[in-house]
Amino acid sequence: MIDGPALAVRPLVNEDIEMLGEFLANLSSDTREFSTFDTYDEVMAKELCDAINKYDKLRLVVESDQETVGLLEFSFGLPGGDLTRFKEAGYELTEERDCRFGITLSDKYQDLGLGGKLMPIIKDVAKKFGKERIILWGGVFESNKRAVHYYEKHGFKRVTTSSDDDGKVRVDIDPEYKKRPLGLR
């Protein structure tokens, strides 16, 4: 469990570029392997901050004592590839009902229970935006055993598997499985 200073979750703001850049730069190669950022530096942080209020995204930072320890990303638009994959698995996703999310935690905050403490916040944010279901942003790499375990522990079930251009296997996982409302009880 997490001991130490209190953590806060708040919306990403333009003034976060430097802090977010440090957060990204300090992610280990192991964490980066399972992430999808184009770069891990202040350039990427600026791109994320420049996108505030411009797209269908909501990004929240998790911080402690002026240090970014996590990034929660929500997307309220559903790309065609997601719609197709899930339809083939028996799901009809809609932008009115469904959203995508992703989570990145700094290495020193992994495996301490923070993800579990953030899941109710993730579900609450989705509900406040009128969403009934959450899917993972791009799925999760099957080789990322910790993440697969985390999602399964929180009620997510495997629904489809696909390979990306690099041959990495991604698993689409959702809570509650099949046609029931997903994870927002």
Side-chain angles (χ1 to χ4, degrees):
M1 284 313 246
I2 296 173
D3 292 322
L7 299 171
V9 177
R10 62 167 179 76
L12 180 70
V13 295
N14 285 317
E15 293 78 18
D16 290 328
I17 293 172
E18 186 177 329
M19 236 173 37
L20 186 59
E22 281 182 41
F23 166 76
L24 293 170
N26 289 327
L27 294 175
S28 71
S29 59
D30 288 342
T31 297
R32 290 179 184 192
E33 180 182 338
F34 299 123
S35 182
T36 57
F37 296 109
D38 293 335
T39 63
Y40 295 87
D41 53 21
E42 201 165 299
V43 172
M44 186 75 240
K46 182 174 180 351
E47 185 177 317
L48 294 172
C49 288
D50 285 348
I52 294 170
N53 296 325
K54 291 185 182 172
Y55 306 104
D56 67 337
K57 312 287 188 279
L58 171 65
R59 291 183 172 94
L60 304 172
V61 292
V62 182
E63 64 184 5
S64 171
D65 293 331
Q66 301 301 312
E67 172 189 19
T68 300
V69 300
L71 180 66
L72 306 177
E73 299 182 277
F74 290 86
S75 175
F76 300 106
L78 299 171
D82 285 358
L83 295 171
T84 300
R85 276 194 329 279
F86 276 85
K87 185 172 185 166
E88 290 171 357
Y91 286 87
E92 288 292 331
L93 301 179
T94 68
E95 289 186 2
E96 292 77 29
R97 182 181 60 222
D98 304 303
C99 68
R100 303 180 304 153
F101 97 100
I103 183 172
T104 305
L105 296 177
S106 72
D107 292 271
K108 72 180 185 180
Y109 280 85
Q110 294 175 17
D111 296 321
L112 298 176
L114 177 57
K117 290 183 179 199
L118 291 172
M119 187 55 73
I121 294 169
I122 292 163
K123 290 178 180 182
D124 189 52
V125 167
K127 280 182 187 179
K128 286 181 178 177
F129 279 87
K131 305 304 177 185
E132 299 171 16
R133 299 191 293 191
I134 302 170
I135 64 171
L136 301 183
W137 193 322
V140 63
F141 290 113
E142 189 172 50
S143 59
N144 189 349
K145 302 296 184 201
R146 287 188 324 191
V148 170
H149 173 76
Y150 165 75
Y151 293 118
E152 289 176 341
K153 179 179 174 181
H154 291 284
F156 286 66
K157 306 290 181 208
R158 295 171 188 244
V159 293
T160 139
T161 304
S162 61
S163 295
D164 66 12
D165 294 337
D166 296 331
K168 290 184 177 179
V169 177
R170 291 179 185 254
V171 178
D172 287 310
I173 301 181
D174 76 71
E176 301 288 321
Y177 198 62
K178 285 288 181 193
K179 295 176 176 68
R180 292 178 279 166
L182 307 180
L184 299 180
R185 296 183 252 147

